[in-house]
Amino acid sequence: MKVTLCSDSQGRFVANKLVNLSNGRVNAFGYVRPNTIFTQVVDSTSLSRDSSPVIILGGSNDSLNNNFKDIFENLEDRLTKLSKSRPVFLCSIPLRYDKATNSIENQELRLVNNYIMELTARMNNVFLIPLHSLERYHFTSHGLHLNNLGKTELAYTILRSLSLWNIENNVLRSPAVEQSNDILQKSMGHTANLSILENLSIDYENIKIIEENMDAVINKFKHDKTTAFLHCISNCRQMSAGVAVSFRKNFGRPKLSDLLNDYLSYQESKEGTAVYGLITKNKYYDKSTVEDYNKAFDLTTEDFKLKKFKHLICSPMGCVRNQIPVKIFAKNIVLFQRSTGASVGIVTHDEKSARILLNGFSYTTFVKLLEEEITNSIKEETTAIHWLNSHLPLTSASGLSALDNCHRNPVLK
């Protein structure tokens, strides 16, 4: 399926994610126009004049300018003209987490989003992509822009909306949709019912919690060259508490030459053991930010696949001392397993300390919460994959536009 994504800077890298998360079954052309208001993003759709679906993401700059007048006065007219020739998917505007939830800015955003929902409800061939599922941790530390995890969630939401449209389209088909699907069916023949994510799955059995001391686990696997260890460190590489002590004792502190980038270190012991260090804060006494944590996890996933490891052993990183929510760790580790296909062992131990650990939970409660959040994250991902498998047709094209490739960060995806 071919789609066009027109957006302000919130949509950067999202077209690439649509291709990757659909396993190449969606061919996404991405056009990003930073610092533009909503209707200017809509005008960008003129760059692609075919009948394929177009996705519109904008409005953040209207909010920054504290002026939604243009949306109320001109958006409907533009959508009326555009929707005559192609299906239009309109994203609601993300709330601003650089402002209080009940701030005037967010109250106005809710009013505008109500208007957007009203338009999609009464206009033909215009569909809503609701972004109410986005939470605080989907945004950067500043709170205005989506972080990598948020853009992944956005891409999943878009794919779900495309799937729903495809189901409804079998019953009520506009002329533009009819033409688009006829072209698709002629080009694909009998392959339209193949699984969109046939090579991607999440295995319940491949993510396990191991209640054992990390030293004992390291000793068991230190000669296994198909296994990599993973833990959190600071940029100063102090490694003076928790599982970091076990890694320092067994492998030493990472050297400057071991740094792959600002977010990741990589060591190899004389036995051949591989050890990744997620660099999520500057000093050991700082607290990790969710933004840096997600970036480090993303880079680990890519390097792990590049080095073709089969197994990962880690602790519930960041959840013991650095107050990273268990839900964030669970989402990242499930995404890691789905992307790499590796088996994952999460090592946890009832550590005694005078400090408040485990986000204030008792050890027993923490392990139960960890199990629940991993299960919930697996269910969410599995539901999304099943939905896409069942309803989104296969496309032969898997490339990215040259323009979208220009916007890609060479490291972060």
Side-chain angles (χ1 to χ4, degrees):
M1 174 184 288
K2 178 183 178 182
V3 299
T4 300
L5 172 66
C6 295
S7 71
D8 55 20
S9 58
Q10 293 280 35
R12 188 164 290 167
F13 312 131
V14 175
N16 182 36
K17 288 181 177 293
L18 290 173
V19 175
N20 290 337
L21 292 174
S22 67
N23 202 24
R25 270 65 175 181
V26 169
N27 179 20
F29 175 94
Y31 185 65
V32 178
R33 290 184 65 184
N35 304 316
T36 51
I37 61 175
F38 204 111
T39 53
Q40 289 175 322
V41 175
V42 177
D43 292 340
S44 301
T45 60
S46 61
L47 292 171
S48 173
R49 298 183 180 276
D50 58 29
S51 60
S52 62
V54 62
I55 302 155
I56 297 171
L57 170 64
S60 293
N61 291 301
D62 299 76
S63 179
L64 283 174
N65 296 335
N66 196 29
N67 186 359
F68 294 108
K69 182 179 179 181
D70 188 64
I71 292 178
F72 288 115
E73 291 184 351
N74 299 311
L75 180 59
E76 183 172 0
D77 181 60
R78 282 172 164 79
L79 291 177
T80 299
K81 295 176 181 177
L82 181 61
S83 61
K84 289 179 180 179
S85 60
R86 65 197 308 182
V88 178
F89 290 81
L90 203 61
C91 296
S92 56
I93 305 172
L95 293 180
R96 291 179 58 175
Y97 287 97
D98 60 330
K99 302 292 182 181
T101 304
N102 61 346
S103 66
I104 292 176
E105 290 85 357
N106 278 321
Q107 290 178 29
E108 290 179 345
L109 274 173
R110 291 185 180 94
L111 289 174
V112 175
N113 281 332
N114 285 340
Y115 175 64
I116 289 174
M117 286 188 284
E118 177 205 328
L119 290 178
T120 59
R122 62 180 171 82
M123 295 185 71
N124 292 327
N125 217 25
V126 180
F127 309 93
L128 178 68
I129 297 180
L131 300 186
H132 59 269
S133 62
L134 297 177
E135 301 183 37
R136 177 63 185 90
Y137 59 81
H138 289 122
F139 291 78
T140 62
S141 56
H142 181 269
L144 179 63
H145 293 98
L146 294 170
N147 58 26
N148 183 58
L149 189 64
K151 293 185 178 184
T152 299
E153 180 68 23
L154 170 60
Y156 269 127
T157 304
I158 290 173
L159 289 173
R160 292 185 191 105
S161 297
L162 288 172
S163 300
L164 181 60
W165 164 73
N166 193 60
I167 295 172
E168 295 174 344
N169 184 43
N170 290 330
V171 181
L172 299 173
R173 294 168 54 157
S174 69
V177 174
E178 182 95 38
Q179 180 182 0
S180 177
N181 276 359
D182 284 348
I183 293 172
L184 178 66
Q185 294 295 333
K186 288 177 182 178
S187 64
M188 297 314 308
H190 296 290
T191 61
N193 292 323
L194 292 180
S195 167
I196 186 170
L197 296 176
E198 58 188 358
N199 296 322
L200 295 179
S201 62
I202 301 169
D203 191 340
Y204 281 88
E205 296 300 319
N206 273 347
I207 301 179
K208 295 183 178 180
I209 297 175
I210 304 169
E211 296 190 59
E212 194 169 352
N213 184 282
M214 183 61 81
D215 282 308
V217 177
I218 290 174
N219 188 56
K220 288 179 181 178
F221 291 94
K222 64 182 179 181
H223 297 291
D224 186 353
K225 295 184 179 181
T226 66
T227 296
F229 289 89
L230 177 64
H231 68 118
C232 279
I233 60 174
S234 60
N235 196 39
C236 67
R237 303 183 295 284
Q238 179 78 8
M239 301 176 69
S240 57
V243 295
V245 175
S246 297
F247 283 100
R248 188 193 69 202
K249 181 175 66 176
N250 285 279
F251 308 111
R253 292 185 174 91
K255 302 174 184 177
L256 287 175
S257 58
D258 294 325
L259 301 182
L260 299 181
N261 48 60
D262 292 339
Y263 297 93
L264 192 64
S265 67
Y266 177 78
Q267 299 168 267
E268 282 188 0
S269 70
K270 60 182 180 181
E271 293 91 356
T273 310
V275 182
Y276 286 103
L278 264 68
I279 305 172
T280 58
K281 54 187 179 180
N282 189 35
K283 300 292 185 181
Y284 71 94
Y285 49 77
D286 294 333
K287 296 300 179 186
S288 304
T289 67
V290 172
E291 180 184 10
D292 288 343
Y293 185 85
N294 290 336
K295 285 181 180 178
F297 233 116
D298 193 53
L299 290 169
T300 303
T301 301
E302 295 306 312
D303 199 77
F304 186 97
K305 289 194 292 186
L306 186 66
K307 291 183 170 62
K308 299 181 179 180
F309 292 115
K310 301 298 182 184
H311 313 285
L312 179 77
I313 295 174
C314 65
S315 64
M317 298 174 299
C319 302
V320 177
R321 282 179 161 75
N322 289 313
Q323 298 175 6
I324 292 292
V326 177
K327 183 175 183 178
I328 299 297
F329 168 76
K331 278 183 172 289
N332 274 291
I333 205 67
V334 169
L335 285 171
F336 172 90
Q337 197 282 322
R338 189 210 65 199
S339 180
T340 63
S343 64
V344 178
I346 304 167
V347 180
T348 183
H349 182 66
D350 190 4
E351 180 183 344
K352 307 300 180 182
S353 174
R355 294 178 56 190
I356 296 177
L357 304 179
L358 308 173
N359 283 310
F361 295 110
S362 68
Y363 174 74
T364 302
T365 302
F366 175 80
V367 173
K368 183 178 180 181
L369 178 63
L370 181 61
E371 292 173 343
E372 289 176 352
E373 291 294 356
I374 290 173
T375 299
N376 290 338
S377 292
I378 290 174
K379 287 180 179 178
E380 288 175 8
E381 293 295 312
T382 304
T383 299
I385 291 172
H386 175 73
W387 183 272
L388 294 171
N389 277 341
S390 302
H391 304 306
L392 200 60
L394 183 70
T395 178
S396 58
S398 60
L400 289 171
S401 70
L403 182 60
D404 194 66
N405 271 316
C406 290
H407 288 310
R408 285 183 60 190
N409 184 305
V411 177
L412 294 178
K413 297 182 179 179

